[in-house]
Amino acid sequence: MAKSSLSRVSLTALEQDEVGNKGQRTRLGAQKSLSWLLVGCIALPIKLPFPVPFECKTPRQTPTIRRQPRRRKSVPRPAPEPVLEAPEPIPSQKTRRDSTAVAQSNLSQLIYTEVNDIRQSYGLQPLQWNGDVAKVARRHSQNMAANNFFSHADPQGNTALERLLNAGVRFNLVAENLALNENAPDPVAQAIMGWWDSPGHRRNMLRAEVTETGVGVIRQGEEYFFTQVFIRQP
């Protein structure tokens, strides 16, 4: 492309040179045109009729040497020593009994909390926890689980009235709710629901005249024995 362009300009310059009066101006114009073409450092295989005012040199390009990054030799790291965890000790029989007692005590507290929540939702005063009444309730649940019965009266014929009197608890009103659950995913919820669906048990839960309560829960296998005693002290 560069060669054909310059040839066309050179021919034009030769044609203009044949004009008599404007020859000198034409040669100057041709020199400017050719000088302009040579500014771009275009190599042409022709001999120009006039001196070139500059020398076109193609700059030498210095080759770029890319240095490869040094690769560090990977040093194998020693594998971490395995951490051996000490096996958990097998709980003793006393520890198992203690943990069972704690779990059963938690169930008793859940019953106590649920009943008070129901009472307060009906505008009644919450019941106070009585530790002596709770012991009486717990012993009755243990008696039912050990002797395979479920009743307000024990094999000796004693009811909650006699059991409280024998324990030295002072009261002038008493009521009692019992529940027995087997294979229940939530024994507390099932006991509360069973009491609420029974008019007599629901009446005990909502008695405005009782002021204190105690709960005893015993688990034997997959069976849960619940006893809740309500009293009013004189």
Side-chain angles (χ1 to χ4, degrees):
M1 295 292 293
K3 181 178 179 180
S4 61
S5 298
L6 186 58
S7 299
R8 179 163 42 85
V9 174
S10 300
L11 289 174
T12 305
L14 291 176
E15 291 173 357
Q16 294 292 336
D17 189 52
E18 295 176 359
V19 180
N21 297 327
K22 299 181 180 179
Q24 184 67 23
R25 184 185 301 176
T26 301
R27 281 194 296 272
L28 292 175
Q31 289 179 5
K32 291 182 180 180
S33 300
L34 292 175
S35 300
W36 178 83
L37 288 175
L38 290 175
V39 170
C41 296
I42 302 173
L44 298 174
I46 60 174
K47 187 175 181 180
L48 298 178
F50 52 84
V52 179
F54 60 87
E55 182 181 0
C56 181
K57 295 183 179 180
T58 303
R60 298 180 60 185
Q61 296 182 353
T62 304
T64 303
I65 301 176
R66 296 183 180 181
R67 296 182 179 180
Q68 297 293 333
R70 295 183 179 180
R71 295 184 179 180
R72 297 182 179 180
K73 296 182 180 180
S74 58
V75 180
R77 297 181 180 179
E81 297 182 359
V83 179
L84 301 179
E85 297 182 358
E88 296 182 359
I90 299 175
S92 62
Q93 186 176 359
K94 181 180 182 301
T95 303
R96 290 196 298 269
R97 286 199 304 266
D98 293 343
S99 61
T100 301
V102 170
Q104 294 170 352
S105 177
N106 291 339
L107 294 178
S108 300
Q109 290 295 324
L110 289 175
I111 289 288
Y112 170 70
T113 302
E114 290 288 338
V115 171
N116 269 344
D117 288 345
I118 293 173
R119 287 177 61 89
Q120 289 179 297
S121 67
Y122 279 81
L124 300 172
Q125 291 295 322
L127 300 173
Q128 298 297 318
W129 182 265
N130 189 309
D132 294 333
V133 176
K135 290 178 182 179
V136 173
R138 180 175 175 81
R139 280 197 293 265
H140 187 58
S141 293
Q142 287 176 332
N143 195 11
M144 290 190 295
N147 295 289
N148 195 25
F149 75 95
F150 181 71
S151 174
H152 290 283
D154 58 25
Q156 289 76 31
N158 296 323
T159 64
L161 178 68
E162 287 80 25
R163 290 190 289 271
L164 288 172
L165 290 174
N166 293 335
V169 178
R170 298 177 66 251
F171 63 96
N172 58 15
L173 179 66
V174 59
E176 184 180 68
N177 282 351
L178 303 180
L180 172 60
N181 297 336
E182 184 175 0
N183 295 324
D186 190 346
V188 172
Q190 187 168 336
I192 294 293
M193 186 180 300
W195 289 343
W196 189 253
D197 292 339
S198 170
H201 294 86
R202 182 170 64 248
R203 185 165 51 250
N204 288 341
M205 295 168 65
L206 298 178
R207 284 185 181 273
E209 57 269 24
V210 295
T211 57
E212 299 179 9
T213 188
V215 184
V217 182
I218 292 296
R219 176 183 179 181
Q220 181 172 282
E222 297 301 324
E223 293 182 329
Y224 294 85
F225 293 84
F226 295 84
T227 301
Q228 183 171 17
V229 180
F230 308 86
I231 70 166
R232 183 183 65 190
Q233 286 192 346

